[in-house]
Amino acid sequence: MPADAPDAVAATIQVRPRTEGWQQQKGADGRPLLQFASPKRGKPPVHLADLTVPKRRARLVELGLPAFRAGQLARHYFTRYTADPAEMTDLPAAGREQLVAGLLPELMTEVRRFATDRGDTIKFLWRLHDGALVESVLMRYPGRITLCVSSQAGCGMNCPFCATGQAGLTRNMSAAEIVDQVVRANRVIAEGQLGGRKAGATTQERVSNIVFMGMGEPLANYNRLMSAVRTMVAPAPDGLAMSARHITVSTVGLVPAIRRLADEKIPVTFALSLHAPDDHLRDELIPVNSRWKVDEALDAARAYFDATGRRVSIEYALIKDMNDHGWRADLLAEKLNARGHGWVHVNPIPLNPTPGSVWTSSTPEAQHEFVRRLEAAGIPTTIRDTRGKEIDGACGQLAAADA
């Protein structure tokens, strides 16, 4: 037992993290391998959404066209959600297709989509230009439409309970590939393909919330992530005109990147995927903990709050007999309260097992007790409502299998 566990729990069951149905890649020291650098592959074509507004205009001038055409292209793409030249009748017919192909190249091909019975959750499987596969999940909730976005093809963080990391990191996604997931989802919504809309509603809808909780570790693809976020929050027609406060960036704990994010002055919501308050367990559960320990990650999270005033979310997947012990709730509350009050909110998440896994979510009784202890210590806590389990579209289930 770890040194910070009370003697009374010596008889409690403690399941150790292990992979199920796949072999975790490990180094010569026996530790799980971490991939921070993206493998070298052919770069995707440069897209309007990869460029700043001045660079878009400069690109048009390079092509011998008026700079204002960049704004026209942006309006079609970011507000009408189209890259179809036939729909861009305000552009000259001569050379229109070549212009659109050059500035709005196709980045993703839809391979397949899966929908829940009600149709209010859709998982998309996309093939990128080099054959890499990624997924995104579109979800309707009361009062909002959320898109779970991928930032990498695969993931290099090698967490044993997550389907995404089983194949390792294929590559980083470009800023435009990240943004294109939102634009394509908005197109689906505009065409009335997302179920659950109230009968008689006439308001035009679009994605209102983004969660970077799809495939990949967002902060391991930092520059492209932030380029995509800037485009998401840029006013129309130069961007998607989204609220930064409705964009959640999640990480397993890349401490230097968390501190860098705090300096961006873009008030996104920050979420730390903690899953264990003690290093003894988290070293096995979240391999990046071998680089930056629990206290370092929590210090960085608190610094994010100090810099932005934005309350931090702590994500905690509740796994039966592994990390759902009452003493761990007490330890988590102790560590959070030691860093002050009012800066954090905990989201326990019932585990979404990967196919064939023997790992299971905590019992309702254990979940209730875990939450009770946190709330008794004054920690705001809300059990996360997960969506899409029946289509393998919930947290930790995205594996981009083309089968």
Side-chain angles (χ1 to χ4, degrees), residues 349-368:
I349 310 164
L351 178 76
N352 298 303
T354 56
S357 174
V358 298
W359 295 34
T360 57
S361 59
S362 302
T363 64
E365 294 77 17
Q367 290 179 33
H368 176 79

Side-chain angles (χ1 to χ4, degrees), residues 337-354:
N337 282 332
R339 291 164 173 81
H341 300 276
W343 69 277
V344 72
H345 182 275
V346 176
N347 283 322
I349 310 164
L351 178 76
N352 298 303
T354 56

Side-chain angles (χ1 to χ4, degrees), residues 90-310:
D90 56 340
L91 296 175
R96 183 193 303 166
E97 291 195 8
Q98 294 87 338
L99 172 61
V100 173
L103 272 296
L104 298 175
E106 185 174 53
L107 298 174
M108 309 189 306
T109 302
E110 184 177 338
V111 178
R112 189 174 295 114
R113 73 173 67 175
F114 307 85
T116 55
D117 290 342
R118 293 176 55 191
D120 58 359
T121 299
I122 301 173
K123 181 176 75 167
F124 301 94
L125 176 63
W126 308 104
R127 179 175 285 110
L128 307 182
H129 81 101
D130 57 354
L133 297 171
V134 298
E135 293 178 326
S136 50
V137 184
L138 183 63
M139 299 161 282
R140 182 189 293 279
Y141 292 93
R144 71 184 191 278
I145 296 176
T146 297
L147 183 69
C148 182
V149 172
S150 292
S151 55
Q152 295 179 311
C155 184
M157 296 299 101
N158 212 356
C159 299
F161 62 95
C162 181
T164 307
Q166 293 183 13
L169 176 63
T170 300
R171 70 166 171 87
N172 287 329
M173 295 178 69
S174 69
E177 287 172 331
I178 295 171
V179 171
D180 203 40
Q181 295 170 77
V182 188
V183 173
R184 298 286 288 270
N186 280 338
R187 180 80 177 190
V188 166
I189 296 166
E191 292 174 350
Q193 298 177 41
L194 179 65
R197 183 174 171 86
K198 289 185 179 179
T202 57
T203 306
Q204 184 176 0
E205 296 183 307
R206 63 174 187 156
V207 172
S208 59
N209 293 64
I210 298 291
V211 290
F212 280 95
M213 297 179 182
M215 299 180 69
E217 162 53 53
L219 296 188
N221 188 18
Y222 189 90
N223 290 335
R224 296 169 188 85
L225 165 78
M226 292 312 303
S227 177
V229 168
R230 292 186 189 98
T231 299
M232 289 174 185
V233 302
D238 296 323
L240 288 166
M242 299 187 71
S243 166
R245 295 172 181 270
H246 293 165
I247 297 173
T248 298
V249 175
S250 176
T251 179
V252 291
L254 279 62
V255 167
I258 297 171
R259 296 191 178 279
R260 188 178 173 189
L261 182 66
D263 293 334
E264 292 283 354
K265 308 305 180 187
I266 301 176
V268 297
T269 297
F270 172 68
L272 174 63
S273 295
L274 192 69
H275 307 312
D278 55 303
D279 289 324
H280 185 73
L281 176 60
R282 197 170 192 265
D283 281 348
E284 300 177 59
L285 197 58
I286 308 291
V288 81
N289 205 68
S290 63
R291 295 282 189 96
W292 300 286
K293 298 300 185 183
V294 169
D295 286 332
E296 293 176 274
L298 291 177
D299 285 344
R302 171 67 209 211
Y304 185 84
F305 170 80
D306 292 337
T308 65
R310 299 285 293 137

Side-chain angles (χ1 to χ4, degrees), residues 7-146:
D7 293 338
V9 301
T12 17
I13 297 172
Q14 176 63 72
V15 174
R16 308 308 311 178
R18 60 189 175 93
T19 60
E20 295 293 335
W22 61 287
Q23 188 65 42
Q24 199 175 29
Q25 297 182 46
K26 296 185 178 180
D29 59 0
R31 292 183 176 182
L33 284 176
L34 296 168
Q35 292 176 271
F36 293 99
S38 176
K40 293 191 180 299
R41 294 168 66 103
K43 292 183 178 180
V46 176
H47 187 281
L48 187 83
D50 288 311
L51 305 174
T52 62
V53 173
K55 288 184 178 180
R56 294 173 193 171
R57 295 173 64 86
R59 178 63 178 148
L60 266 294
V61 173
E62 288 173 8
L63 295 173
L65 296 169
F68 72 83
R69 297 288 184 209
Q72 291 177 299
L73 288 169
R75 184 173 290 103
H76 285 293
Y77 183 68
F78 292 120
T79 69
R80 297 169 185 161
Y81 318 127
T82 184
D84 183 356
E87 297 182 29
M88 302 183 188
T89 54
D90 56 340
L91 296 175
R96 183 193 303 166
E97 291 195 8
Q98 294 87 338
L99 172 61
V100 173
L103 272 296
L104 298 175
E106 185 174 53
L107 298 174
M108 309 189 306
T109 302
E110 184 177 338
V111 178
R112 189 174 295 114
R113 73 173 67 175
F114 307 85
T116 55
D117 290 342
R118 293 176 55 191
D120 58 359
T121 299
I122 301 173
K123 181 176 75 167
F124 301 94
L125 176 63
W126 308 104
R127 179 175 285 110
L128 307 182
H129 81 101
D130 57 354
L133 297 171
V134 298
E135 293 178 326
S136 50
V137 184
L138 183 63
M139 299 161 282
R140 182 189 293 279
Y141 292 93
R144 71 184 191 278
I145 296 176
T146 297

